[in-house]
Amino acid sequence: MVQIDASTLSKREHYHLLTRAVAPRPIAFVTSQSKEGVLNGAPFSYFTIVSAEPPLLMISVQRKDKKMKDTARHIIKSGECVIHIVDETNVEEINKTASALPTDESEVDTFDFTRVQSQRVKVDGVKEAQIRMECELDTHTVVGDESADLIVVRVVHYHLDDAIFDGSVIDDERLKPVARLGGQSYSKLGEMFELVRP
């Protein structure tokens, strides 16, 4: 085994090791809204479930030079967002939203998305996702010497395409979720198998 003292690595070296070691990672496309009404959209692969009861999700929004990004700022101020699951049908368009746009420009409007009104929150979602979850802020924590905003949100409303949901179970093979690997790499679903948990 190669031994590496973590204190000797740069931020970039940590990034390359962690994003390739902790993989595949699901991708959240998050819409949030500024107080001026600009609808922001951005992808995050530092994303996971926190709890099923209550239904909590987590995203980690990395800061740039310790400055909070739009997504984190909007969620903290408004207390709301919509999280969409990235799949094979929308991953290329969602990838474009990682572009650096001015704060007063909407990624949702700039790229090829269709706004759809939410039921429980004021933030719009996008029609192009087969799963979207309206969320309210539960917890915000600044972590890593002000390097990231750890945001936990509570799901208050689900939108599930009936092509992938039969009323009780989501069909992963029809959803075709996409996961993030390291570098410029992504993955699709491969061979699936089941194990009975003891």
Side-chain angles (χ1 to χ4, degrees), residues 57-184:
L57 302 172
M58 181 278 297
I59 59 168
S60 177
V61 184
Q62 304 302 291
R63 292 185 174 192
K64 188 169 184 179
D65 300 322
K66 298 191 176 184
K67 290 179 67 175
M68 191 180 289
K69 289 187 178 174
D70 291 343
T71 297
R73 184 170 44 259
H74 297 162
I75 294 173
I76 293 160
K77 286 187 177 178
S78 74
E80 300 178 336
C81 68
V82 181
I83 292 182
H84 309 72
I85 299 301
V86 178
D87 62 51
E88 291 181 32
T89 67
N90 58 32
V91 65
E92 290 188 19
E93 202 64 24
I94 285 173
N95 184 55
K96 295 176 185 177
T97 67
S99 306
L101 295 183
T103 302
D104 61 352
E105 287 186 29
S106 167
E107 292 83 358
V108 173
D109 296 336
T110 299
F111 301 106
D112 195 19
F113 293 104
T114 309
R115 289 181 181 232
V116 60
Q117 190 172 10
S118 293
Q119 299 292 313
R120 297 275 306 275
V121 301
K122 293 177 183 173
V123 180
D124 286 347
V126 300
K127 184 179 180 181
E128 289 72 21
Q130 297 180 91
I131 298 175
R132 67 182 188 275
M133 296 167 279
E134 299 178 24
C135 302
E136 295 177 348
L137 179 63
D138 181 89
T139 309
H140 165 241
T141 307
V142 179
V143 296
D145 190 29
E146 297 184 46
S147 64
D149 291 281
L150 188 67
I151 296 172
V152 176
V153 295
R154 180 186 298 247
V155 179
V156 295
H157 197 87
Y158 293 92
H159 300 265
L160 306 162
D161 192 315
D162 54 16
I164 58 101
F165 185 65
D166 67 5
S168 61
V169 177
I170 292 171
D171 186 329
D172 291 319
E173 292 187 86
R174 288 188 176 188
L175 172 61
K176 298 183 178 177
V178 172
R180 190 79 162 89
L181 303 172
Q184 304 298 318

